[in-house]
């Protein structure tokens, strides 16, 4: 899930990109070092930097958080583990192929025969042969005469394979809440010129960004907002020229879940009184 | 005996005493507002002994006390001169008639700047002092920089901040250099001060300064 601390981290990396347009190994927009970080500076460090013409950019949330949740929670598939095993049907045979996952990840081997699903959950100690043996044993309970030899399952005559599928696991993420938090970006520069250079780079950079992508994969709306004052020369005597930029960041609070991928769907047909007429797997 | 002869005899006595009890100091006489301690301002050496405002040599100097009585041949020195050896630096604050010579012990070396002055009619540059537009008034002047009595909050309240300290600064006056409120001072350990009040007397400059810090 995203948290305000991750918002600050993302802003710091974005700002670093704006003030070092050619990378941190190349000169910054001021030609001098620019330090970007979440949190506030310490006076002793900042004063030393200012005397050496180093600009600091600090980032901190300001003001209360605003709940902007609008929609009912909805899960999004974020990732699916790629299957390493395969299941191939040909005529009345089904072959288990591929390779056992290393390191082990869950796989479900599903065979659909005449509207009924047979699902074998692969064990960490399995081999292709033992998978075929296990799956054949499941099918044989309904279709006696089903046997396996090595990694190949042979069905009894008359059994029709509708589908052979391999399922794995994946990650889904649900947005439960969305909130808007104002963030204060403060440029601490040793002179008005470098303050302008850094402030302009940040302003122009964020003007082109509508959404930040958070570590949970969800977008966070990024909008500049006004708050007085933006420039302050009060610290001129300490050789500090300050500019404050304010952005409202609207980000999601999400919860991730590990789930198995769907390999078959069971449909239960019932009478109006709830009596089962028949089940069918697809 | 007239006053001048008396004064000469007093300083002569001081000088003889210093020869026996005081170490050797280099004597410098500032000739410009920059670098008062340099080969160009060196006058020679003389023996000098300093005691903590007590000619009986019975009291040690204490915290926050920059003033010393100097035993040295005052005929060789003037107010504003520096006495420097490997251990100590003093400047002569006063050589008042028939009275002990007053010296100030220096613990820091200061540079003093006048902030940016907008001088042009019409459009001027951005109004703000930076290194490039401030004027250096005094360069590398040893001075007494001791803690003042108060402190106050800075203009940028940061989480680690405490009250900013005030400092009491003593240094010689140099002709033509007039220090003002809001002048900027930096020292040899990268501290920065801003002048709050600047008192000029026959003893030299007595400044009250606030430490300038974010």
């Amino acid at each position: 899930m995203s948290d305000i601390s991750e918002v600050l981290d993302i802003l710091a990396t974005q700002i670093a990109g704006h003030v070092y347009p050619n990378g941190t190994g190349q000169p910054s927009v001021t030609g001098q070092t620019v330090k970007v970080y979440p949190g506030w500076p310490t006076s002793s460090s900042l004063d030393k930097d200012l005397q050496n013409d180093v600009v600091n950019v600090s980032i901190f949330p300001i003001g209360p958080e605003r709940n902007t949740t609008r929609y009912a929670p909805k899960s999004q598939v974020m990732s699916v583990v790629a299957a390493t095993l395969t299941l191939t049907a040909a005529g009345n045979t089904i072959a288990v192929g591929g390779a056992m996952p290393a390191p082990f990840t869950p796989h479900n081997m599903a065979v659909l025969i005449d509207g009924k699903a047979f699902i074998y959950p692969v064990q960490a100690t399995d081999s292709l042969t033992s998978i075929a043996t296990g799956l054949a044993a499941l099918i044989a309970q309904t279709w006696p005469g089903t046997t396996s030899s090595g990694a190949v399952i042979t069905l009894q005559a008359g059994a029709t394979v509708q589908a052979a599928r391999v399922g794995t696991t994946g990650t889904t993420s649900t947005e439960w809440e969305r909130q808007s938090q104002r963030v204060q970006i403060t440029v601490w520069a040793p002179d008005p010129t470098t303050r302008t250079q850094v402030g302009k780079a940040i302003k122009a950079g964020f003007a082109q960004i509508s959404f930040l992508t958070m570590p949970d994969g969800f977008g966070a709306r990024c909008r500049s907002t006004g708050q007085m004052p933006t420039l302050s020369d009060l610290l001129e005597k300490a050789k500090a020229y300050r500019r404050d930029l304010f952005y409202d960041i609207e980000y999601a609070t999400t919860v991730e879940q590990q789930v198995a991928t769907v390999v078959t769907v069971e449909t239960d047909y019932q009478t109006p009184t709830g009596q089962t007429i028949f089940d069918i797997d697809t | 005996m007239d006053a001048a002869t008396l004064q000469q005899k007093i300083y002569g006595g001081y000088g003889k005493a210093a020869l026996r009890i005081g170490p050797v100091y280099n004597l410098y006489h500032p000739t410009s507002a920059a670098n008062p301690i340099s080969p160009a301002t060196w006058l020679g050496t003389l023996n000098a002994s300093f005691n903590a405002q007590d000619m009986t040599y019975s009291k040690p100097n204490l915290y926050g006390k920059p003033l010393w009585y100097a035993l040295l041949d005052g005929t060789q020195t003037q107010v504003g001169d520096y006495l420097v050896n490997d251990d100590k630096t003093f400047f002569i604050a006063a050589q008042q008639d028939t009275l002990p010579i007053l010296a100030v012990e220096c613990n820091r070396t200061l540079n003093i700047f006048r902030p940016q002055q907008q001088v042009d009619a019409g459009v001027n540059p951005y109004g703000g002092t930076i290194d490039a537009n401030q004027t250096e008034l005094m360069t590398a002047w040893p001075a007494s920089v001791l803690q003042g009595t108060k402190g106050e909050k800075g203009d940028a309240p940061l989480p680690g901040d405490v009250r900013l300290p005030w400092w009491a600064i003593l240094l010689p006056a140099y002709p033509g250099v007039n220090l003002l409120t809001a002048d900027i001072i930096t020292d040899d350990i990268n501290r920065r001060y801003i002048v709050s009040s600047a008192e000029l007397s026959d003893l030299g400059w007595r400044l009250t300064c606030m430490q300038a810090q974010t």
Side-chain angles (χ1 to χ4, degrees):
Chain A
M1 63 172 280
S2 293
D3 187 59
I4 185 61
S5 59
E6 287 164 324
V7 171
L8 303 183
D9 289 342
I10 292 283
L11 289 173
T13 56
Q14 290 297 310
I15 293 168
H18 300 329
V19 298
Y20 281 97
N22 299 313
T24 50
Q26 299 295 317
S28 72
V29 290
T30 69
Q32 302 283 340
T33 303
V34 180
K35 297 178 178 176
V36 185
Y37 47 87
W40 291 105
T42 54
S43 287
S44 51
S45 165
L46 180 58
D47 289 337
K48 190 177 167 190
D49 283 346
L50 292 169
Q51 286 177 21
N52 293 318
D53 294 332
V54 173
V55 176
N56 279 230
V57 180
S58 61
I59 308 160
F60 206 76
I62 180 173
E65 183 180 275
R66 203 160 52 88
N67 190 330
T68 57
T69 308
R70 305 174 187 73
Y71 308 112
K74 185 183 175 189
S75 294
Q76 310 276 349
V77 176
M78 306 308 289
S79 64
V80 177
V81 176
T84 62
L85 294 166
T86 61
L87 207 53
T88 312
N92 68 336
T93 64
I94 303 162
V96 179
M100 281 295 288
F104 179 74
T105 54
H107 281 58
N108 286 320
M109 314 298 278
V111 176
L112 200 60
I113 302 172
D114 287 344
K116 183 168 174 57
F118 303 91
I119 303 172
Y120 177 78
V122 175
Q123 306 301 305
T125 52
D126 269 337
S127 62
L128 301 188
T129 300
S130 67
I131 293 169
T133 305
L135 194 51
L138 284 174
I139 298 169
Q141 291 172 10
T142 305
W143 298 91
T146 300
T147 59
S148 69
S149 177
V152 178
I153 301 163
T154 304
L155 304 178
Q156 74 168 70
T160 307
V161 179
Q162 292 171 285
R165 299 173 186 143
V166 179
T168 58
T169 55
T171 304
T172 62
S173 195
T174 307
E175 177 180 329
W176 289 98
E177 195 175 82
R178 190 161 274 266
Q179 53 271 304
S180 181
Q181 173 66 59
R182 185 158 297 178
V183 174
Q184 179 177 7
I185 298 168
T186 305
V187 179
W188 308 84
D191 55 69
T193 305
T194 51
R195 174 176 67 182
T196 302
Q197 290 168 327
V198 173
K200 269 173 83 172
I202 295 172
K203 188 81 177 154
F206 280 120
Q208 300 168 62
I209 296 176
S210 298
F211 283 90
L212 299 165
T213 302
M214 301 304 295
D216 62 5
F218 283 64
R221 183 91 166 98
C222 174
R223 286 183 300 175
S224 92
T225 184
Q227 183 149 332
M228 293 291 286
T230 53
L231 296 181
S232 172
D233 292 357
L234 269 178
L235 292 165
E236 173 190 321
K237 54 184 174 289
K239 208 184 164 188
Y241 288 84
R242 175 174 173 168
R243 177 172 182 178
D244 289 295
L245 299 118
F246 297 92
Y247 289 90
D248 283 337
I249 310 296
E250 189 182 355
Y251 65 99
T253 300
T254 57
V255 176
E256 284 193 346
Q257 202 175 3
Q258 295 287 323
V259 294
T261 56
V262 175
V263 284
T264 61
V265 177
E266 179 183 345
T267 308
D268 184 13
Y269 291 86
Q270 295 180 340
T271 64
T273 58
Q275 298 292 315
T276 296
I277 303 170
F278 62 90
D279 290 335
I280 187 164
D281 296 332
T282 52
Chain B
M1 185 186 295
D2 61 13
T5 308
L6 174 63
Q7 188 64 60
Q8 204 152 15
K9 285 184 179 296
I10 290 172
Y11 283 162
Y14 286 172
K16 285 179 183 169
L19 272 175
R20 282 158 184 78
I21 60 174
V24 173
Y25 283 82
N26 287 298
L27 177 63
Y28 295 89
H29 179 70
T31 53
S32 76
N35 302 310
I37 311 295
S38 70
T41 61
W42 186 72
L43 297 180
T45 60
L46 82 170
N47 291 71
S49 173
F50 297 88
N51 56 78
Q53 297 188 60
D54 179 357
M55 281 305 208
T56 63
Y57 285 84
S58 60
K59 293 177 184 171
N61 195 27
L62 302 175
Y63 289 110
K65 305 286 186 189
L67 302 178
W68 297 74
Y69 288 175
L71 270 184
L72 50 79
D73 182 356
T75 60
Q76 297 184 48
T77 58
Q78 298 176 46
V79 171
D81 286 359
Y82 280 99
L83 293 155
V84 181
N85 68 9
D86 292 341
D87 191 29
K88 301 272 188 188
T89 299
F90 295 89
F91 72 83
I92 306 291
Q95 293 194 185
Q96 293 154 343
D97 291 344
T98 67
L99 297 174
I101 297 170
L102 185 65
V104 174
E105 185 177 2
C106 302
N107 60 334
R108 296 266 67 87
T109 302
L110 306 181
N111 298 316
I112 305 178
F113 302 90
R114 176 69 33 85
Q116 179 201 32
Q117 308 289 298
Q118 303 285 20
V119 293
D120 295 333
V123 176
N124 278 268
Y126 185 86
T129 300
I130 57 173
D131 289 350
N133 65 22
Q134 61 191 9
T135 308
E136 192 151 14
L137 302 175
M138 300 175 84
T139 306
W141 281 70
S144 164
V145 181
L146 297 176
Q147 278 192 16
T149 54
K150 52 183 176 177
E152 61 187 57
K153 281 202 156 186
D155 293 319
L158 296 173
D161 275 1
V162 291
R163 287 175 184 274
L164 297 176
W166 285 69
W167 297 86
I169 295 179
L170 303 175
L171 79 162
Y174 187 79
V177 176
N178 189 26
L179 302 183
L180 301 175
T181 295
D183 281 348
I184 295 162
I185 301 176
T186 61
D187 70 12
D188 53 312
I189 52 173
N190 287 324
R191 281 194 299 219
R192 194 174 168 92
Y193 314 89
I194 186 152
V195 176
S196 177
S197 66
E199 173 196 274
L200 179 61
S201 69
D202 57 354
L203 302 175
W205 287 107
R206 182 168 69 154
L207 310 175
T208 306
C209 298
M210 192 183 84
Q211 190 160 331
Q213 196 168 337
T214 54

